[in-house]
């Protein structure tokens, strides 16, 4: 519990220093007063000192009486102590005014205890506070005047309340007719009146002391003047120190980062070296050294500037950052393992994310970059924790990253021919006879379509009937059918015959002794994909036309 109490104490002081570092650049004494005002003030203080001295003398004579009761003697002694305290305070105010309003309390000697250090009672928390003592002393100095003013205002309110009550009581006392009392009561009444008159005077003197102290501590400058003066003072002291510290630390970090980047670019010429564990560990160590070096430069500059408050505040902030990150250490260890390419998903390998294949192109301590070269804007940046849920595998160079490209012609399961206009990580845009079809990329990836732009073939089964007296030679059928296909395709489009790679005709089966089923396969090149429907129609027309020209008895045609 004491550890957390110490931590909270340090945190509160750090926040106070941050809030007050600009606003509390206040001089240790008020503005300079004129000689006439100082002389008038000194005369007024001297009159009060003389009055207190006279009253002290009277009290000392009263206490010296031998027949004085013990209770009354104690009361007079307490009043004498109060007057002595007031006398010392007025003398101190007189001295301070003579010296121009300087804070003479700074010249008081501090008593030290030679037996304060005891190794047997070593307390590390106390030692931390001792180390940070200059920082706390600087904070105390910065807030001392404000605290004094607040205390004096509270004391002023309390004294005003007491004076008001004392005056009320004395007015009531004066309203009593002494002649109506017996001699003993008159004597007691007179004694009480003298005591309360004396007490009222003491309270008024004490109020004068507080007023004079407040006058010395009060800054009579208007707000804009105080703000500009304090701002300029902050810029000249803390501002310059912070500027130098940030400039040199950030500059060192940038220069070292550029050197690391040059080293990384040199190493990336060899892909296997980039994926190597030793290279990644070296890069991690260099980054850590860069950060530590920049922080050290920042702290050294603040310490060298002599501004202990800024140095302590920076050290406390670093301490709080380290404390706040202690619960995230396991997460950072996991991230380091992934960064070092020791996880279940590794850089340079293939993963399935959102039901689409991706390549892990880059891993750093915070993000993972996924790329798909066949998608427009095919790069995603995801958090490194994603790699906890997926696995990667090694890929071959000839493996497809997506089943289509921009400009490909596809044959969908419903026999529609579409053209790929664009494909992004979110959507695929298809053109069908001038209308645009938009499909989610993951859903499109699951479709069982044919990519005609990678080449295709046309298949047709047909059946011919002959007689025992007039058999159809296979070579003759093949030649006539091939010639008819080229002719019909040329009629459909002049470039189609050049797109025919191969025409093959095989006997599929012998149905009866006079009936033969054939299978015709035409292999087409990829550049004829957009003429798929024309080529398919030309195949049917060519077979039927050739059969009629040759007077073959064709029974059935069937496209596959």
């Amino acid at each position: 519990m004491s550890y957390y109490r110490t931590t909270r104490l340090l945190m509160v002081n750090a926040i106070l220093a941050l809030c007050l570092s600009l606003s509390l650049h206040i001089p240790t004494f008020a503005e300079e007063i004129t000689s006439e005002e100082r002389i008038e003030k000194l005369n007024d203080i001297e009159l009060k000192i003389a009055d207190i001295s006279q009253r002290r003398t009277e009290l000392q004579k009263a206490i010296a009486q031998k027949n004085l009761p013990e209770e009354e003697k104690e009361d007079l002694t307490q009043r004498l102590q109060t007057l002595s305290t007031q006398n010392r305070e007025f003398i101190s105010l007189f001295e301070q005014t003579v010296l121009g309003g300087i804070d003479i309390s700074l010249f008081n000697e501090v008593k030290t205890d030679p037996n304060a250090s005891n190794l047997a009672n070593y307390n590390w928390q106390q030692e931390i506070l001792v180390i940070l003592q200059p920082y706390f002393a600087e904070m105390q100095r910065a807030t001392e005047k404000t605290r004094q003013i607040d205390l004096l205002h509270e004391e002023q309110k309390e004294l005003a309340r007491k004076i008001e009550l004392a005056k009320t009581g004395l007015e009531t006392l004066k309203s009593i007719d002494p002649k109506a009392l017996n001699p003993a009561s008159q004597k007691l009444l007179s004694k009480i009146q003298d005591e309360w008159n004396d007490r009222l005077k003491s309270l008024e003197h004490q109020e004068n002391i507080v007023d004079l102290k407040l006058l010395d501590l009060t800054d009579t400058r208007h707000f804009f003047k105080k703000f500009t003066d304090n701002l300029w003072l902050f810029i000249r002291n803390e501002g310059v120190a912070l500027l130098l510290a940030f400039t040199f630390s950030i500059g060192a970090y940038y220069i070292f980062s550029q050197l690391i980047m040059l080293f990384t670019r040199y190493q990336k010429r060899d892909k296997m070296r980039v994926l190597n564990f030793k290279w990644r560990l070296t890069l991690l160590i260099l980054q850590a050294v860069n950060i530590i070096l920049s922080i050290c430069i920042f702290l050294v500059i603040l310490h060298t500037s002599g501004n202990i408050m800024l140095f302590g505040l920076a050290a406390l902030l670093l301490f709080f950052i380290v404390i706040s990150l202690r619960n995230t250490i396991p997460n950072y260890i996991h991230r380091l393992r992934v960064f070092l390419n020791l996880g279940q998903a590794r850089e340079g390998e293939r993963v399935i994310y959102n039901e689409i294949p991706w390549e892990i192109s880059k891993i750093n301590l915070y993000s993972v970059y996924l790329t798909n070269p066949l998608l427009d804007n095919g790069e995603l940046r995801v958090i490194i924790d994603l790699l906890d849920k997926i696995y990667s595998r090694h890929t071959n160079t000839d493996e497809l990253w997506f089943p289509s490209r921009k400009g490909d012609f596809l044959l969908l399961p419903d026999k529609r021919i579409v053209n790929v206009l664009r494909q992004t990580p979110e959507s695929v845009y298809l053109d069908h006879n001038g209308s645009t079809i938009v499909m989610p990329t993951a859903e499109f990836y699951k479709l069982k379509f044919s990519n005609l732009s990678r080449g295709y073939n046309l298949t047709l089964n047909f059946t011919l009937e002959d007689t025992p007296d007039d058999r159809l030679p296979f070579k003759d059928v093949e030649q006539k059918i091939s010639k008819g296909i080229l002719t019909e395709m040329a009629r459909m489009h002049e470039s189609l015959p050049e797109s025919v790679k191969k025409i093959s005709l095989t006997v599929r089966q012998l149905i009866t002794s006079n009936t033969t089923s054939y299978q015709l396969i035409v292999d087409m090149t990829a550049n004829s994909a957009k003429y798929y429907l024309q080529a398919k129609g030309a195949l049917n027309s060519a077979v039927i036309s050739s059969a009629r020209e040759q007077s073959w008895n064709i029974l059935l045609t069937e496209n596959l």
Side-chain angles (χ1 to χ4, degrees), residues 6 11 32 47 93 159 201 219 244 276 328 355 390 441 446 510:
T6 303
M11 183 178 295
E32 188 70 23
L47 289 176
L93 280 174
L159 288 172
K201 263 188 184 179
D219 193 347
L244 291 176
N276 185 270
T328 62
E355 302 180 355
I390 57 179
T441 305
K446 295 178 182 179
L510 187 63

Side-chain angles (χ1 to χ4, degrees), residues 130-160:
V130 171
I131 293 173
L132 295 176
Q133 186 176 0
Y135 163 70
F136 291 127
E138 185 72 16
M139 277 198 60
Q140 186 178 10
R141 184 200 63 79
T143 60
E144 182 177 5
K145 184 174 180 179
T146 303
R147 288 185 287 108
Q148 287 180 356
I149 292 175
D150 290 339
L151 291 175
L152 288 174
H153 277 302
E154 292 297 326
E155 187 176 357
Q156 189 181 45
K157 293 178 183 178
E158 183 67 19
L159 288 172

Side-chain angles (χ1 to χ4, degrees), residues 541-554:
S541 299
V543 171
I544 295 173
S545 299
S546 298
R548 288 177 178 176
E549 289 176 1
Q550 302 300 325
S551 300
W552 297 336
N553 189 11
I554 186 167

Side-chain angles (χ1 to χ4, degrees), residues 57 129 170:
T57 303
L129 295 177
L170 285 173

Side-chain angles (χ1 to χ4, degrees), residues 231-244:
L231 179 62
W232 177 240
L233 187 61
F234 176 82
I235 293 174
R236 285 187 303 170
N237 297 328
E238 285 82 358
V240 172
L242 286 174
L243 178 63
L244 291 176

Side-chain angles (χ1 to χ4, degrees), residues 409-512:
F409 286 87
L410 312 176
L411 176 62
L412 299 182
D414 57 3
K415 303 304 179 183
R416 288 183 297 174
I417 304 296
V418 296
N419 180 26
V420 179
L421 299 177
R422 189 182 184 191
Q423 47 193 27
T424 68
E426 294 82 20
S427 303
V428 176
Y429 301 83
L430 306 174
D431 175 71
H432 176 65
N433 295 332
S435 62
T436 302
I437 303 172
V438 181
M439 297 182 65
T441 305
E443 181 180 338
F444 175 81
Y445 187 77
K446 295 178 182 179
L447 284 179
K448 297 180 180 179
F449 57 83
S450 299
N451 192 338
L452 304 177
S453 296
R454 292 197 173 99
Y456 62 95
N457 60 61
L458 303 171
T459 303
L460 179 67
N461 293 337
F462 63 91
T463 304
L464 295 178
E465 186 179 30
D466 55 10
T467 62
D469 298 331
D470 188 14
R471 297 293 183 187
L472 297 177
F474 178 79
K475 291 293 183 182
D476 187 43
V477 173
E478 185 178 22
Q479 290 176 1
K480 298 297 183 183
I481 292 294
S482 298
K483 183 178 179 182
I485 289 172
L486 295 175
T487 302
E488 190 65 24
M489 285 190 176
R491 190 179 66 81
M492 291 287 184
H493 196 276
E494 59 182 6
S495 64
L496 273 178
E498 299 176 358
S499 301
V500 177
K501 294 171 60 178
K502 181 182 178 182
I503 300 175
S504 60
L505 181 68
T506 58
V507 176
R508 184 167 172 261
Q509 65 179 354
L510 187 63
I511 300 176
T512 65

Side-chain angles (χ1 to χ4, degrees), residues 13-135:
N13 280 277
I15 296 173
L16 286 175
L18 185 62
C19 297
L20 298 174
S21 59
L22 175 62
S23 60
L24 293 180
H25 288 282
I26 303 175
T28 57
F29 50 91
E31 288 185 334
E32 188 70 23
I33 60 176
T34 62
S35 298
E36 291 79 6
E37 291 175 344
R38 180 179 290 109
I39 291 172
E40 182 180 356
K41 183 177 179 181
L42 291 173
N43 290 331
D44 183 58
I45 294 174
E46 176 57 33
L47 289 176
K48 292 180 173 61
I49 293 174
D51 181 66
I52 291 174
S53 298
Q54 181 182 356
R55 292 167 59 203
R56 286 178 63 196
T57 303
E58 294 175 355
L59 285 175
Q60 288 172 352
K61 291 179 179 179
I63 294 172
Q65 295 178 9
K66 296 181 180 181
N67 57 348
L68 193 67
E70 190 66 28
E71 293 181 358
E72 188 175 349
K73 188 174 183 179
E74 290 180 359
D75 181 59
L76 292 176
T77 302
Q78 185 176 1
R79 289 165 57 187
L80 180 61
Q81 291 176 352
T82 302
L83 288 175
S84 299
T85 302
Q86 293 177 356
N87 186 64
R88 286 195 298 269
E89 290 180 351
F90 272 118
I91 292 174
S92 177
L93 280 174
F94 189 90
E95 181 181 4
Q96 186 173 0
T97 305
V98 169
L99 296 175
I102 65 172
D103 188 2
I104 59 177
S105 64
L106 299 176
F107 298 91
N108 296 337
E109 295 184 1
V110 180
K111 297 181 180 180
T112 58
D113 185 6
N115 299 321
S117 177
N118 190 354
L119 295 178
N121 299 323
Y122 182 80
N123 188 334
W124 66 272
Q125 299 170 5
Q126 186 66 30
E127 291 299 323
I128 291 178
L129 295 177
V130 171
I131 293 173
L132 295 176
Q133 186 176 0
Y135 163 70

